[in-house]
Amino acid sequence: MQVGLGAHSPHASLRLDQASQRAVVFKTARLRTAQRSQLQSSSFDRRQPRLWRELTTDAATCRRDVLTHAAAEAVQQEMQTGNGAVSEEELTKLIDSTSPHNVQDAVEDLKAYGIEAEDWGKSALSVVVVGASGDLARKKIFPALFALYHEGMLPDYFNIVGYSRSKMTDEEFRDLISENLACRVTAGEDCGVEMEEYLSRCSYVAGQYKSEEDFGKLNTRLDELEKKRGKADRIFYLSIPPAIFTDVAASASAAASSKTGWTRVIVEKPFGRDSESFQQLSKDLYKHLSEEQIYRIDHYLGKELIENLTVLRFANLLFEPLWNRKYIRNVQVIFSENFGTEGRGGYFDQYGIIRDVIQNHLLQILSLFAMEPPVSLDAEDIRNEKVKVLRSMKQVAMADVVVGQYRGRGSKGAGKRLPGYLDDDTVPAGSLCPTFSAVAMFINNARWDGVPFLLKAGKALHSKRAEIRVQFRHVPGNLYKAKMGADLDSATNELVIRIQPNESIYLKINNKVPGLGLSLDTQRLDLSYDQTYKSHLPDAYERLILDVINGDKRLFIRADELEAAWALFTPILKELEETKVAPELYPYGSRGPVGAHYLAAKYGVRWGDVNADDEDA
């Protein structure tokens, strides 16, 4: 018989063909979620405004992820049991029990972080991407905005406007950005209609970065797009070199700020080259913007495993008591890429690996990892604790730094040569710019006194990975010491948080090998995200852009954080450049300079990423 959800009594049986099951599952989930939440549209709009409108649409168009993949599988399996018969009441209970994230949860997420609600039923949102023709905008920003649209995370009334010096029409602009749009949320899904809907919201304005007149033209276009709403909020994403941040901030502030709502500005790294240049950049920006308007983005803080870091630590009784010098022997934060500068050496040579990765990405991860429990999940409470960590750290000493630069080598068998850094035509001849660095750092507080934090980053290494490795101390008075061999370090407990790729969290433990004898080996308790959750992990830019829309600054960097971070590294950066320290050469595709291993050994540490059993993790 035909299925109509509203036509069935609570105990009526639903006998569904395979093609109808998914539509019924999703439609039922949406209707039940709407009934449970009893929220007004304006409240729900704060988190998923577009999804609210679809709660009661035809089942064939219900394609958003209110119901998790696991829930859908469970419901379909249940419906196939007993010759495919299941009552609507049973179906509802199953959906309720397997769908952990409903509408109410989405609203509560924002309340937990102390974020004020926004009534998107009355406001328009305009996102202006400055530098719209550049690689970052085309490959990351516009695809991230499309993913948010696809997942129902953008307000009902939104517009996206590209701004750059290149001359092009709206249609040419749409063709340009469409090249990098894909249905990344659900593999194999046809989202051509959604792409067209998204692209119809995108338009383009050409202009100079230092022209208030051109930004005035941009403002006129925005006013036209926003006129159907009484209030307009605007985001300016500065996907441009830092040298012109101030010019754009001045022009946009004077000629294109919202007059009826808020204006927020996303600023990409690098945030200066040292303490002095950062302070000058901040001083210049503050002439046109307040600290509250500035969102300094570090995309690594938007990674799923980084956002999970505070959950892992503060929501599990197991870890917090061990998170100190008494139980932790060392902490390693590792970043490696298996490719070189690939024609971008000219840009990279201006900064080097310490500025490009260690002083921002890795130091931000370290501060989140090591901070004291914040008073609340409010952005300022979290950032206050991060600043305390940075201010408690010792300034980096030359003796605790190793720098390297990759050299070319021939690849095995194929006869193809892997180019060295200096083989890049865009790199100045004889450059001493480091493409690798390892740094030992220390935190002078009661929790971490004496614990070495080893940061390592490099290009053209043997693998691509980013991870945190926590090596615990040896078991005192270990009864099984004789069974562990001479190398106790290889049998130490280790917690590994794999940020990318193959996102996972695993704990190395010592275990008895099954059998009649007594033999020990090291095994993993493994939480692998792709095996456990089987769901799309949002790109870091998706999460961070959504946070800007919501006004959530937890994962953005405050000015005093950067001041403290630059204070740690500016002296050593100046010394390296003034004394012209020659980097240690290492072959393309190797594990990096030998000096990094000597630095670790100096503090009784072995790098965790050199173990063979971690290669496929």
Side-chain angles (χ1 to χ4, degrees):
M1 64 179 178
Q2 293 289 355
V3 175
L5 292 180
H8 288 272
S9 67
H11 300 289
S13 289
L14 305 179
R15 296 180 181 273
L16 304 177
D17 59 84
Q18 187 73 21
S20 302
Q21 290 179 7
R22 184 174 176 84
V24 171
V25 166
F26 276 82
K27 185 169 183 180
T28 304
R30 290 164 186 276
L31 294 174
R32 295 300 301 170
T33 300
Q35 292 166 10
R36 285 197 308 269
S37 65
Q38 295 181 351
L39 295 174
Q40 294 182 352
S41 175
S42 59
S43 297
F44 182 70
D45 279 349
R46 180 68 182 120
R47 180 68 176 184
Q48 292 181 321
R50 188 158 161 262
L51 185 54
W52 179 265
R53 305 192 312 277
E54 298 178 355
L55 284 171
T56 55
T57 59
D58 184 78
T61 63
C62 290
R63 295 175 295 175
R64 300 297 183 268
D65 293 331
V66 167
L67 189 65
T68 64
H69 177 81
E73 284 190 344
V75 172
Q76 291 191 16
Q77 182 178 1
E78 184 69 19
M79 295 173 84
Q80 292 166 356
T81 305
N83 198 27
V86 60
S87 71
E88 185 176 338
E89 182 179 37
E90 292 169 333
L91 179 62
T92 298
K93 287 181 179 179
L94 189 58
I95 289 171
D96 288 345
S97 66
T98 55
S99 181
H101 197 83
N102 59 30
V103 181
Q104 184 66 53
D105 294 333
V107 175
E108 292 301 321
D109 286 350
L110 298 176
K111 291 181 180 178
Y113 297 127
I115 302 170
E116 294 182 9
E118 179 86 24
D119 186 353
W120 289 111
K122 299 178 181 178
S123 299
L125 173 68
S126 294
V127 181
V128 179
V129 181
V130 182
S133 59
D135 280 354
L136 176 64
R138 291 186 295 107
K139 295 178 180 179
K140 289 293 185 180
I141 300 172
F142 293 120
L145 286 164
F146 173 65
L148 291 175
Y149 176 73
H150 179 84
E151 295 179 78
M153 293 291 190
L154 293 181
D156 179 27
Y157 205 85
F158 78 92
N159 305 287
I160 297 170
V161 180
Y163 184 94
S164 69
R165 291 174 294 199
S166 304
K167 299 287 186 182
M168 68 179 97
T169 64
D170 287 350
E171 283 305 315
E172 289 170 336
F173 173 63
R174 290 165 185 155
D175 289 341
L176 177 71
I177 65 177
S178 66
E179 296 172 0
N180 293 288
L181 301 186
C183 296
R184 296 182 292 115
V185 178
T186 305
E189 182 179 346
D190 181 9
C191 57
V193 174
E194 282 194 326
M195 283 189 186
E196 291 303 316
E197 292 173 356
Y198 170 77
L199 290 171
S200 70
R201 306 291 191 99
C202 299
S203 56
Y204 182 79
V205 175
Q208 298 299 312
Y209 295 133
K210 200 176 180 179
S211 170
E212 286 190 24
E213 180 182 355
D214 287 347
F215 273 87
K217 295 176 183 177
L218 170 64
N219 185 66
T220 300
R221 172 69 69 88
L222 292 173
D223 285 343
E224 291 173 359
L225 295 170
E226 299 161 347
K227 63 185 178 182
K228 292 184 179 179
R229 288 289 189 271
K231 180 185 175 186
D233 298 319
R234 295 178 181 177
I235 294 173
F236 288 83
Y237 197 127
L238 306 193
S239 179
I240 51 178
I244 53 178
F245 282 170
T246 305
D247 292 341
V248 171
S251 300
S253 176
S257 288
S258 173
K259 297 176 178 61
T260 57
W262 47 254
T263 299
R264 294 168 182 162
V265 179
I266 303 175
V267 182
E268 278 276 354
K269 77 173 185 69
F271 311 110
R273 299 187 76 257
D274 50 31
S275 292
E276 292 78 10
S277 59
F278 167 69
Q279 289 168 3
Q280 185 60 51
L281 175 62
S282 296
K283 181 180 178 181
D284 292 341
L285 287 176
Y286 286 152
K287 293 177 182 177
H288 314 287
L289 302 168
S290 67
E291 177 66 20
E292 184 62 27
Q293 289 179 285
I294 300 172
Y295 286 71
R296 299 178 188 85
I297 192 171
D298 182 335
H299 74 274
Y300 252 74
L301 295 183
K303 302 285 187 183
E304 183 68 38
L305 271 292
I306 297 303
E307 178 140 29
N308 187 56
L309 193 56
T310 52
V311 177
L312 179 73
R313 181 176 166 191
F314 300 127
N316 294 289
L317 180 63
L318 171 65
F319 293 113
E320 182 57 20
L322 305 179
W323 222 256
N324 56 61
R325 62 188 297 272
K326 183 177 180 181
Y327 297 102
I328 292 178
R329 189 159 53 101
N330 68 82
V331 179
Q332 303 171 24
V333 187
I334 298 169
F335 171 97
S336 66
E337 292 179 333
N338 56 1
F339 53 88
T341 52
E342 313 294 338
R344 294 182 64 252
Y347 170 81
F348 182 84
D349 202 78
Q350 301 175 48
Y351 298 97
I353 199 73
I354 296 178
R355 291 185 178 94
D356 192 45
V357 177
I358 293 180
Q359 184 272 340
N360 45 74
H361 298 331
L362 302 196
L363 196 59
Q364 283 293 315
I365 292 172
L366 186 158
S367 63
L368 265 176
F369 175 94
M371 71 180 184
E372 294 298 314
V375 173
S376 74
L377 293 176
D378 181 80
E380 297 312 308
D381 288 334
I382 291 175
R383 299 197 294 182
N384 287 343
E385 297 303 329
K386 289 170 63 184
V387 171
K388 289 178 185 177
V389 171
L390 296 173
R391 289 178 175 170
S392 298
M393 297 183 75
K394 290 182 180 179
Q395 197 175 85
V396 180
M398 181 66 83
D400 288 331
V401 177
V402 172
V403 292
Q405 187 184 96
Y406 67 90
R407 60 175 174 79
R409 74 170 189 181
S411 62
K412 295 180 180 179
K416 178 183 176 182
R417 175 173 169 76
L418 297 171
Y421 179 67
L422 295 180
D423 294 328
D424 188 329
D425 292 337
T426 62
V427 173
S431 171
L432 299 178
C433 177
T435 61
F436 174 98
S437 184
V439 181
M441 304 188 76
F442 294 87
I443 303 173
N444 292 331
N445 63 19
R447 183 185 290 269
W448 298 112
D449 186 34
V451 176
F453 285 78
L454 299 179
L455 312 184
K456 181 172 70 171
K459 290 183 173 293
L461 296 172
H462 71 295
S463 66
K464 179 180 179 180
R465 70 171 70 194
E467 62 190 13
I468 306 168
R469 307 186 78 101
V470 185
Q471 294 185 348
F472 292 92
R473 297 194 180 278
H474 300 149
V475 178
N478 193 341
L479 295 174
Y480 294 96
K481 183 176 181 181
K483 295 291 182 179
M484 292 182 172
D487 186 8
L488 289 180
D489 286 350
S490 64
T492 187
N493 297 130
E494 185 175 29
L495 175 67
V496 180
I497 302 169
R498 175 65 58 82
I499 301 167
Q500 69 173 31
N502 305 323
E503 292 85 351
S504 60
I505 302 170
Y506 61 90
L507 178 66
K508 291 185 177 182
I509 64 166
N510 296 309
N511 192 62
K512 178 184 176 297
V513 177
L516 298 178
L518 181 58
S519 247
L520 273 62
D521 71 355
T522 301
Q523 293 294 333
R524 294 189 214 157
L525 302 179
D526 197 343
L527 169 60
S528 177
Y529 273 52
D530 62 347
Q531 295 297 317
T532 303
Y533 296 107
K534 299 184 184 298
S535 61
H536 163 76
L537 293 183
D539 181 78
Y541 283 93
E542 295 171 37
R543 185 189 311 279
L544 294 172
I545 291 172
L546 180 61
D547 284 348
V548 177
I549 295 171
N550 289 334
D552 184 356
K553 303 192 81 168
R554 289 174 303 120
L555 301 177
F556 294 85
I557 308 171
R558 206 166 61 188
D560 54 349
E561 287 184 68
L562 278 167
E563 287 178 10
W566 278 121
L568 294 171
F569 280 96
T570 293
I572 191 67
L573 287 167
K574 289 185 175 180
E575 186 174 352
L576 286 169
E577 291 168 356
E578 290 171 359
T579 58
K580 300 186 183 302
V581 173
E584 181 182 345
L585 298 180
Y586 61 95
Y588 194 122
S590 69
R591 296 181 182 273
V594 174
H597 300 283
Y598 285 115
L599 174 64
K602 174 181 174 181
Y603 295 106
V605 177
R606 175 184 296 169
W607 291 107
D609 62 333
V610 301
N611 297 326
D613 62 336
D614 283 307
E615 287 299 310
D616 60 348

